[in-house]
Amino acid sequence: QVQLVESGGGSVQSGGSLRLSCAASGFTYSSYCIGWVRQVPGKEREGVAVIASDGTTTYADSVKGRFTISQDNAKNTLYLQMNSLKPEDTAMYYCAATERRLLFRLVPSMYKYWGQGTQVTVSS
């Protein structure tokens, strides 16, 4: 049974930083994509950053140069370092994963497993 548990969200002022963590259990596929999706109430989910099993990363244009996705395989944990945060980054952030190798990695509907989310609020 795959379980994804996010942590690290909170409130921060514009320009600040946060690091999100996603602890994964039961996810033992050798080929996969895992990443972060965010959603603002009333809006569609948005793929933010993804890392594949081969180590390659994909970022949404809106976060390139500010966010960094990484993983610690020994700890089965995924991270999202968020720097230079902006009010428009305010959203619920979800960890999402799939055992499939994806061509379009930032499409939320491609992901099978989801965490419960962690809220990030950036004030101006």
Side-chain angles (χ1 to χ4, degrees):
Q1 181 180 354
V2 175
Q3 189 173 19
L4 305 174
V5 180
E6 303 95 334
S7 60
S11 297
V12 64
Q13 288 192 329
S14 182
S17 298
L18 284 173
R19 188 177 81 157
L20 304 183
S21 299
C22 172
S25 59
F27 192 72
T28 57
Y29 302 101
S30 58
S31 179
Y32 61 83
C33 285
I34 187 168
W36 297 92
V37 174
R38 66 187 181 187
Q39 188 170 28
V40 175
K43 293 189 177 181
E44 293 196 358
R45 295 175 298 179
E46 175 191 19
V48 175
V50 175
I51 189 166
S53 48
D54 62 0
T56 56
T57 57
T58 306
Y59 294 94
D61 288 343
S62 58
V63 306
K64 280 182 182 176
R66 300 188 298 120
F67 291 11
T68 302
I69 189 170
S70 62
Q71 60 184 353
D72 184 332
N73 290 329
K75 295 182 179 180
N76 293 324
T77 302
L78 179 74
Y79 301 101
L80 184 67
Q81 179 65 45
M82 305 186 294
N83 298 328
S84 302
L85 282 161
K86 304 175 181 180
E88 51 264 44
D89 294 318
T90 295
M92 184 71 80
Y93 283 71
Y94 297 92
C95 180
T98 177
E99 68 274 27
R100 297 167 57 190
R101 297 182 66 181
L102 302 177
L103 179 60
F104 301 104
R105 296 177 179 177
L106 294 178
V107 178
S109 60
M110 294 292 187
Y111 290 83
K112 180 177 181 181
Y113 305 105
W114 291 81
Q116 82 288 349
T118 186
Q119 177 68 37
V120 171
T121 302
V122 184
S123 57
S124 57

